[in-house]
Amino acid sequence: AVTPGSDFTVTLSLENHTEQGLKDLTLWAEKPSAEFTILELKDAGQLMDDQIRWTITELPENGGHVELHYRLHMDPAADYYSLESYGVELPSAVENSPTIPLRVFNGGIVPIWAIQGESEHSPYRLDDVTTTGVVTGVFPDLAGFWIQDPVGDHDPATSEGLLISTGELPIEVVPGDFVQVSGNVREISEQTQVFISSLDQIRILSHGTSLPMPIALDPPSGLEAANEFYEALEGMLVEVDQPATVVGPTSRYGETFTVLSKHGLDRVIRGEETGWIIVIDDGSDSTHYDQSTMAFALTVGDQLDYVSGPLAYTYGDYKVEPLEPPQV
């Protein structure tokens, strides 16, 4: 991310991890749109038609690398620069890897959808970022709170929600606060989150923002398809807005396994794979040794009528962290 209207350098790093040296390669990148002025093509780069092209005479084997650069000016009105199309041409036929969009954001804010990315892993892992969103749920027993971008990028493949991990710090925000958060992107138990180490990394910009409408959960039956369905919603407000049957009793970790009642399942045996499972958590990371410490305890056959909250991912399961106890 850069300050509005500034100049910046794009650096492309090309690495050869094969056991054979490569010669006479061409690295190309699409020509920037009209919102961006090319100030300088470095490293003998040339603008040819709709591409910037570099010729690399030799790239050594086993980690040989080269960095190539070009410098741009960003129009102050632009949201971000996105390099969507780029690749490598070799004398021999070698299949290129799928292209991951590379972006530079205007104004210093990296939106939540970009932090979450389009795959299972954030493209900003271990990077320091600043982002904004409305607080959707506060969970001291999970040492954090969730925020969501109320606008987003309108791409169903990217999530608009994100966990802010506060560790042992007190949580001084409430749902409806619109906040700016600066921290380090981490993936703990494969859940994307921004970790903060001091309260001054959170700025409350306004109060009383309307919460985004929750997304109704209706996962597909296939396990792989269900994981893709849930991945695109990780961190966002979701809801179970139709009857769901408890198919596995509340565990000692406060997790209850349900399936929408319309599917007609009464029970799911441990280890049986189905994408229909919707896990309802208890909003904590506590281990319970009897029901006296549980927020709620459900048994097989109970029917749940409504619950909503952010969608978390821990210990291999997507789960709803309820804002209120489920209606049973």
Side-chain angles (χ1 to χ4, degrees):
V2 297
T3 55
S6 64
D7 304 338
F8 60 96
T9 297
V10 178
T11 302
L12 299 177
S13 178
L14 180 62
E15 300 181 357
N16 177 15
H17 292 284
T18 72
E19 295 182 354
Q20 181 179 0
L22 300 173
K23 294 183 178 181
D24 301 324
L25 302 86
T26 298
L27 175 65
W28 61 269
E30 65 181 351
K31 179 184 176 181
S33 64
E35 297 172 297
F36 307 92
T37 303
I38 299 175
L39 301 177
E40 184 182 7
L41 297 177
K42 301 183 177 182
D43 311 303
Q46 293 183 315
L47 186 61
M48 301 176 63
D49 297 326
D50 293 329
Q51 294 180 346
I52 304 172
R53 299 174 69 88
W54 294 265
T55 298
I56 301 98
T57 55
E58 186 173 4
L59 193 62
E61 66 276 12
N62 297 322
H65 71 278
V66 62
E67 290 188 350
L68 305 167
H69 311 78
Y70 57 99
R71 191 159 181 79
L72 298 179
H73 173 78
M74 183 183 296
D75 188 312
D79 292 327
Y80 57 87
Y81 170 63
S82 183
L83 178 56
E84 302 278 346
S85 179
Y86 55 92
V88 179
E89 297 174 1
L90 303 107
S92 58
V94 177
E95 183 178 351
N96 286 331
S97 299
T99 300
I100 300 171
L102 307 176
R103 300 185 176 101
V104 177
F105 289 91
N106 195 7
I109 302 297
V110 179
I112 293 172
W113 59 263
I115 296 172
Q116 284 284 11
E118 298 178 1
S119 65
E120 295 180 358
H121 301 291
S122 170
Y124 288 85
R125 280 179 294 176
L126 302 181
D127 287 346
D128 292 326
V129 299
T130 298
T131 192
T132 58
V134 58
V135 177
T136 57
V138 177
F139 293 86
D141 291 337
L142 291 172
F145 61 93
W146 272 268
I147 64 174
Q148 188 166 329
D149 186 336
V151 179
D153 65 339
H154 309 292
D155 183 349
T158 55
S159 169
E160 315 291 357
L162 186 64
L163 172 63
I164 308 301
S165 180
T166 56
E168 298 182 356
L169 297 173
I171 301 176
E172 299 180 349
V173 298
V174 298
D177 286 347
F178 193 81
V179 298
Q180 176 178 301
V181 180
S182 300
N184 188 256
V185 178
R186 300 183 184 180
E187 290 192 344
I188 300 175
S189 297
E190 298 187 17
Q191 178 172 219
T192 302
Q193 53 198 272
V194 169
F195 181 83
I196 65 168
S197 55
S198 65
L199 291 179
D200 61 8
Q201 292 176 274
I202 302 173
R203 289 179 55 203
I204 300 177
L205 304 179
S206 63
H207 302 282
T209 305
S210 298
L211 300 189
M213 292 294 295
I215 304 297
L217 293 182
D218 191 356
S221 60
L223 192 60
E224 183 175 346
N227 285 334
E228 293 178 0
F229 168 83
Y230 280 124
E231 172 64 28
L233 300 175
E234 180 189 299
M236 296 179 65
L237 272 184
V238 296
E239 65 181 359
V240 179
D241 64 345
Q242 56 182 300
T245 302
V246 176
V247 295
T250 303
S251 72
R252 61 175 179 166
Y253 304 112
E255 301 169 339
T256 305
F257 290 74
T258 72
V259 170
L260 295 181
S261 301
K262 67 180 183 179
H263 297 308
L265 286 183
D266 297 323
R267 180 187 296 270
V268 173
I269 306 302
R270 183 179 296 277
E272 182 179 350
E273 293 188 352
T274 175
W276 283 338
I277 292 290
I278 300 173
V279 183
I280 312 300
D281 198 21
D282 64 353
S284 78
D285 58 3
S286 301
T287 300
H288 306 279
Y289 297 97
D290 58 61
Q291 294 186 358
S292 65
T293 60
M294 289 183 171
F296 53 88
L298 306 182
T299 59
V300 173
D302 287 349
Q303 181 172 287
L304 180 149
D305 284 336
Y306 185 81
V307 66
S308 69
L311 184 70
Y313 182 82
T314 57
Y315 302 106
D317 286 311
Y318 293 96
K319 57 197 70 171
V320 182
E321 302 296 349
L323 298 174
E324 301 287 344
Q327 299 173 15
V328 180

